[in-house]
Amino acid sequence: MLHLWLLKTAQNHPLLVELKNGEAYNGHLVSCDNWMNINLREVICKSRDRDNFWLMPECYIRSSTIKYLRIPNEIIDTVKEEVAAKGRGRGGLQQKRQKGHGTGGAGRGGIPGTSRDQPERRPGREAGKQ
Amino acid sequence: MNYMPGTASLIEDIDKKHLVLLRDGRTLIGFLRSIDQFANLVLHQTVERIHVGKKYGDIPRGIFVVRGENVVLLGEIDLEKESDTPLQQVSIEEILEEQRVEQQTKLEAEKLKVQALKDRGLSIPRADTLDEY
């Protein structure tokens, strides 16, 4: 599971973005693109020393200035549900079409080992499999 | 199984607990969930660990998406050996206070240095702005 996909799932959720210069932007994700450029709304910008605050209705952050993003924990559960839903939908289609290749993007296996940490075991692709 | 012998890859490190050091000096510890060719990382159940002297404090931070260029290094944490450390864990408030004191002494020392250099006609740019081009 790639981080971009995680971000796309995080739309409309609150995020915290820290830029390379130390400024922190708190806001709801409106959109993101393939380069991780993001659009936020209802943004609170805090300066590096956390001394100054700015409130903005929306802002655009270029991905190259981002140090990291923090996303809410619930996103992981949302992603898991989405993957399960996608898998179920694709699984039905596959049965109808009887396509040979099982890779069709169905059920990428979700987030590898979310509930299982070490010792490592990658859960197989539960969705899309017969 | 390495598909390209002689190369380095983070594939084997997925779902393992890692310590990640960022360019700004922060230490993050979390389970590595996702990687890509730029070493952008997704860390789960992340904790920010602040070290001051022999003490450390952990601040739980949730899910981190770290842009690869900000990572200095990362290393796998052996879960069994993890607790085997001479360092002492303290509360968040305490470590933040210790950190504040440490930053203050550093700033004062830095100020004196900068002043001394200025008196000699030298000026060294601050380390964190060195990368700006």
Coordinates of all heavy atoms in Angstrom, one line a residue, chain B residues 30-80:
Chain B
G30 N 8.5 3.5 14.9 CA 7.2 3.0 14.5 C 7.3 1.8 13.6 O 8.4 1.4 13.2
F31 N 6.1 1.2 13.3 CA 6.1 0.0 12.4 C 6.1 0.5 11.0 O 5.2 1.3 10.6 CB 4.9 -0.9 12.7 CG 5.1 -1.6 14.0 CD1 4.5 -1.1 15.2 CD2 5.8 -2.7 14.1 CE1 4.6 -1.7 16.4 CE2 5.9 -3.4 15.3 CZ 5.4 -2.9 16.5
L32 N 7.0 0.0 10.2 CA 7.1 0.5 8.8 C 6.0 -0.2 8.0 O 6.0 -1.5 7.9 CB 8.5 0.1 8.3 CG 8.8 0.7 6.9 CD1 8.7 2.2 6.9 CD2 10.2 0.2 6.5
R33 N 5.1 0.5 7.4 CA 4.0 -0.1 6.7 C 4.1 0.0 5.2 O 3.6 -0.8 4.5 CB 2.6 0.6 7.1 CG 2.2 0.3 8.5 CD 2.1 -1.1 8.8 NE 1.6 -1.3 10.2 CZ 1.8 -2.4 10.9 NH1 2.4 -3.4 10.4 NH2 1.3 -2.5 12.1
S34 N 4.7 1.1 4.7 CA 4.8 1.3 3.3 C 6.0 2.0 2.9 O 6.5 2.9 3.6 CB 3.5 2.0 2.9 OG 3.7 2.7 1.7
I35 N 6.5 1.7 1.7 CA 7.7 2.4 1.2 C 7.5 2.6 -0.3 O 6.6 2.1 -0.9 CB 9.0 1.5 1.3 CG1 8.7 0.1 0.7 CG2 9.3 1.3 2.8 CD1 10.0 -0.7 0.5
D36 N 8.4 3.4 -0.9 CA 8.4 3.6 -2.3 C 9.8 3.9 -2.8 O 10.7 3.8 -2.0 CB 7.4 4.6 -2.8 CG 7.8 6.0 -2.4 OD1 8.9 6.2 -1.8 OD2 7.1 7.0 -2.7
Q37 N 10.0 4.2 -4.1 CA 11.3 4.3 -4.6 C 12.1 5.5 -4.0 O 13.3 5.6 -4.1 CB 11.3 4.3 -6.1 CG 10.8 5.6 -6.7 CD 9.3 5.6 -7.0 OE1 8.6 5.1 -6.2 NE2 9.0 6.1 -8.2
F38 N 11.4 6.4 -3.4 CA 12.0 7.6 -2.9 C 12.3 7.4 -1.4 O 12.7 8.3 -0.7 CB 11.2 8.9 -3.1 CG 10.9 9.1 -4.5 CD1 9.6 9.0 -4.9 CD2 11.8 9.5 -5.4 CE1 9.2 9.2 -6.3 CE2 11.5 9.7 -6.7 CZ 10.2 9.6 -7.1
A39 N 12.0 6.2 -0.9 CA 12.0 6.0 0.6 C 11.1 6.8 1.3 O 11.3 7.1 2.5 CB 13.4 6.1 1.1
N40 N 10.0 7.3 0.7 CA 8.9 7.8 1.5 C 8.4 6.7 2.4 O 8.2 5.6 1.9 CB 7.7 8.3 0.6 CG 8.2 9.5 -0.3 OD1 8.9 10.4 0.2 ND2 7.6 9.6 -1.5
L41 N 8.1 7.0 3.6 CA 7.7 6.0 4.6 C 6.4 6.2 5.2 O 6.0 7.4 5.4 CB 8.7 5.9 5.7 CG 10.2 6.0 5.4 CD1 11.0 6.2 6.7 CD2 10.7 4.7 4.7
V42 N 5.6 5.1 5.4 CA 4.4 5.3 6.2 C 4.7 4.5 7.5 O 5.0 3.3 7.5 CB 3.2 4.7 5.5 CG1 2.0 4.7 6.5 CG2 2.9 5.5 4.3
L43 N 4.7 5.2 8.6 CA 4.9 4.6 9.9 C 3.7 4.5 10.7 O 2.9 5.4 10.7 CB 6.0 5.4 10.7 CG 7.4 5.5 10.1 CD1 8.2 6.5 10.9 CD2 8.0 4.1 10.2
H44 N 3.5 3.4 11.4 CA 2.2 3.1 12.1 C 2.6 3.0 13.6 O 3.6 2.5 14.0 CB 1.6 1.9 11.6 CG 0.2 1.6 12.1 ND1 -0.3 0.3 12.2 CD2 -0.7 2.5 12.6 CE1 -1.6 0.5 12.7 NE2 -1.8 1.7 12.9
Q45 N 1.6 3.5 14.5 CA 1.9 3.5 15.9 C 3.2 4.1 16.3 O 4.0 3.6 17.0 CB 1.8 2.0 16.5 CG 0.5 1.4 16.4 CD 0.5 -0.1 16.5 OE1 1.5 -0.7 16.8 NE2 -0.6 -0.7 16.1
T46 N 3.4 5.3 15.7 CA 4.6 6.0 15.8 C 4.8 6.7 17.1 O 3.8 7.2 17.7 CB 4.8 7.0 14.7 OG1 4.3 6.5 13.5 CG2 6.3 7.4 14.5
V47 N 6.0 6.7 17.6 CA 6.3 7.4 18.9 C 7.5 8.3 18.6 O 8.4 7.9 17.9 CB 6.6 6.3 19.9 CG1 7.8 6.7 20.8 CG2 5.4 6.0 20.7
E48 N 7.4 9.5 19.0 CA 8.6 10.4 18.9 C 9.4 10.3 20.2 O 8.9 10.6 21.2 CB 8.1 11.9 18.7 CG 9.3 12.8 18.4 CD 8.8 14.2 18.2 OE1 7.6 14.4 17.8 OE2 9.6 15.2 18.5
R49 N 10.6 9.9 20.0 CA 11.4 9.7 21.2 C 12.4 10.9 21.3 O 13.2 11.2 20.4 CB 12.2 8.4 21.1 CG 13.0 8.1 22.4 CD 13.4 6.6 22.4 NE 12.3 5.8 22.7 CZ 12.3 4.5 22.9 NH1 13.5 3.9 22.8 NH2 11.3 3.7 23.1
I50 N 12.4 11.5 22.5 CA 13.3 12.7 22.7 C 14.3 12.2 23.7 O 14.1 11.7 24.8 CB 12.5 13.9 23.3 CG1 11.4 14.3 22.4 CG2 13.4 15.0 23.6 CD1 10.6 15.4 22.9
H51 N 15.6 12.4 23.3 CA 16.7 12.0 24.1 C 17.4 13.2 24.7 O 17.8 14.1 24.0 CB 17.8 11.2 23.3 CG 17.3 9.9 22.9 ND1 17.5 8.7 23.6 CD2 16.6 9.5 21.8 CE1 17.0 7.7 23.0 NE2 16.5 8.1 21.9
V52 N 17.6 13.2 26.0 CA 18.4 14.2 26.6 C 19.3 13.5 27.6 O 18.8 13.0 28.6 CB 17.6 15.3 27.4 CG1 18.5 16.3 28.0 CG2 16.6 15.9 26.4
G53 N 20.6 13.5 27.4 CA 21.5 12.8 28.2 C 21.2 11.3 28.3 O 21.0 10.7 27.3
K54 N 21.0 10.8 29.5 CA 20.7 9.4 29.6 C 19.2 9.2 29.7 O 18.8 8.0 30.0 CB 21.4 8.8 30.9 CG 22.9 8.8 30.8 CD 23.4 7.4 31.0 CE 24.9 7.3 30.6 NZ 25.4 6.1 30.3
K55 N 18.4 10.2 29.6 CA 17.0 10.1 29.8 C 16.3 10.2 28.4 O 16.8 10.8 27.5 CB 16.4 11.1 30.7 CG 17.1 11.2 32.1 CD 16.3 12.1 33.0 CE 17.1 12.3 34.3 NZ 16.7 13.6 34.9
Y56 N 15.2 9.5 28.3 CA 14.4 9.7 27.1 C 12.9 9.7 27.4 O 12.5 9.2 28.5 CB 14.7 8.6 26.1 CG 14.2 7.2 26.4 CD1 12.9 6.8 26.0 CD2 15.1 6.3 27.1 CE1 12.5 5.5 26.3 CE2 14.6 5.1 27.3 CZ 13.4 4.6 27.0 OH 12.9 3.4 27.2
G57 N 12.1 10.3 26.6 CA 10.7 10.3 26.8 C 10.0 10.0 25.4 O 10.5 10.4 24.4
D58 N 8.9 9.3 25.5 CA 8.2 8.9 24.3 C 6.9 9.7 24.1 O 6.1 9.7 25.1 CB 7.8 7.4 24.3 CG 9.1 6.6 24.0 OD1 10.1 7.2 23.5 OD2 9.0 5.4 24.2
I59 N 6.6 10.3 23.0 CA 5.3 11.0 22.7 C 4.6 10.2 21.6 O 5.1 10.1 20.5 CB 5.6 12.4 22.3 CG1 6.5 13.1 23.2 CG2 4.3 13.1 22.1 CD1 6.8 14.6 22.8
P60 N 3.5 9.6 21.9 CA 2.8 8.9 20.9 C 2.2 9.8 19.8 O 1.7 10.8 20.1 CB 1.6 8.2 21.7 CG 1.5 8.9 22.9 CD 2.8 9.6 23.2
R61 N 2.4 9.4 18.5 CA 2.1 10.3 17.4 C 1.2 9.7 16.4 O 0.8 10.4 15.4 CB 3.4 10.8 16.7 CG 4.3 11.6 17.6 CD 3.7 13.0 17.9 NE 4.7 13.9 18.3 CZ 4.5 15.1 18.8 NH1 3.3 15.5 19.0 NH2 5.5 15.9 19.2
G62 N 0.9 8.4 16.5 CA -0.1 7.9 15.5 C 0.6 7.5 14.2 O 1.6 6.9 14.1
I63 N 0.0 7.9 13.1 CA 0.4 7.6 11.7 C 1.3 8.7 11.1 O 0.8 9.8 11.1 CB -0.7 7.2 10.8 CG1 -1.6 6.2 11.4 CG2 -0.2 6.7 9.4 CD1 -2.9 5.9 10.6
F64 N 2.4 8.4 10.6 CA 3.3 9.3 10.0 C 3.5 9.0 8.5 O 3.7 7.8 8.2 CB 4.7 9.3 10.7 CG 5.0 10.4 11.6 CD1 4.7 10.3 12.9 CD2 5.6 11.5 11.2 CE1 4.9 11.3 13.8 CE2 5.9 12.6 12.0 CZ 5.5 12.5 13.4
V65 N 3.4 10.0 7.7 CA 3.8 9.8 6.3 C 5.1 10.7 6.1 O 4.9 11.9 6.2 CB 2.7 10.2 5.3 CG1 3.2 10.0 3.9 CG2 1.5 9.4 5.5
V66 N 6.2 10.1 6.0 CA 7.5 10.8 6.0 C 8.0 10.9 4.6 O 8.1 9.9 3.9 CB 8.5 10.2 6.9 CG1 9.8 11.1 7.0 CG2 8.0 10.0 8.3
R67 N 8.3 12.1 4.1 CA 8.9 12.3 2.8 C 10.3 11.8 2.8 O 11.1 12.2 3.7 CB 8.8 13.8 2.4 CG 8.8 14.0 0.9 CD 8.5 15.4 0.6 NE 9.2 15.8 -0.6 CZ 8.7 15.5 -1.8 NH1 7.5 14.9 -2.0 NH2 9.3 15.9 -2.9
G68 N 10.7 11.0 1.9 CA 11.9 10.3 1.9 C 13.2 11.1 2.1 O 14.1 10.8 2.8
E69 N 13.1 12.3 1.5 CA 14.4 13.2 1.5 C 14.7 13.7 2.9 O 15.8 14.2 3.1 CB 14.2 14.3 0.5 CG 13.0 15.1 0.8 CD 12.8 16.3 -0.2 OE1 13.8 16.9 -0.6 OE2 11.6 16.5 -0.6
N70 N 13.8 13.6 3.8 CA 14.0 14.1 5.2 C 14.6 13.0 6.1 O 14.8 13.3 7.3 CB 12.7 14.6 5.7 CG 12.2 15.7 4.9 OD1 12.8 16.8 4.9 ND2 11.1 15.5 4.2
V71 N 14.8 11.8 5.6 CA 15.2 10.7 6.4 C 16.8 10.6 6.3 O 17.3 10.6 5.2 CB 14.6 9.4 6.0 CG1 15.2 8.2 6.8 CG2 13.1 9.4 6.2
V72 N 17.4 10.5 7.5 CA 18.8 10.3 7.5 C 19.1 8.8 7.4 O 19.8 8.4 6.6 CB 19.5 10.9 8.8 CG1 20.9 10.5 8.9 CG2 19.3 12.4 8.8
L73 N 18.5 8.1 8.4 CA 18.7 6.7 8.4 C 17.6 6.0 9.1 O 16.8 6.7 9.8 CB 20.0 6.4 9.1 CG 20.2 6.9 10.6 CD1 19.6 5.9 11.6 CD2 21.6 7.1 10.9
L74 N 17.4 4.7 8.9 CA 16.5 4.0 9.7 C 17.1 2.6 10.0 O 17.8 2.1 9.2 CB 15.1 3.9 9.0 CG 15.0 3.3 7.6 CD1 14.4 1.9 7.7 CD2 14.0 4.2 6.8
G75 N 16.7 2.1 11.2 CA 17.2 0.8 11.5 C 16.2 0.0 12.2 O 15.3 0.5 12.9
E76 N 16.2 -1.3 12.0 CA 15.2 -2.2 12.6 C 15.5 -2.3 14.1 O 16.6 -2.4 14.5 CB 15.3 -3.6 11.9 CG 14.2 -4.5 12.4 CD 14.4 -5.9 11.8 OE1 15.0 -6.0 10.8 OE2 13.9 -6.8 12.5
I77 N 14.4 -2.3 14.8 CA 14.5 -2.5 16.3 C 14.2 -4.0 16.6 O 13.2 -4.5 16.2 CB 13.6 -1.6 17.0 CG1 14.0 -0.2 16.8 CG2 13.5 -1.9 18.5 CD1 13.1 0.8 17.5
D78 N 15.2 -4.6 17.3 CA 15.0 -6.0 17.7 C 14.1 -5.9 19.0 O 14.5 -5.4 20.0 CB 16.3 -6.6 18.1 CG 16.2 -8.0 18.4 OD1 15.2 -8.5 18.8 OD2 17.3 -8.7 18.2
L79 N 12.9 -6.4 18.8 CA 11.9 -6.3 19.9 C 12.4 -6.9 21.2 O 12.0 -6.4 22.3 CB 10.6 -6.9 19.5 CG 9.8 -6.2 18.5 CD1 8.6 -6.9 18.0 CD2 9.4 -4.8 18.9
E80 N 13.2 -8.0 21.1 CA 13.6 -8.6 22.4 C 14.7 -7.7 23.1 O 14.7 -7.6 24.3 CB 14.2 -10.0 22.1 CG 13.2 -11.0 21.7 CD 13.8 -12.0 20.7 OE1 15.0 -12.3 20.9 OE2 13.1 -12.5 19.8

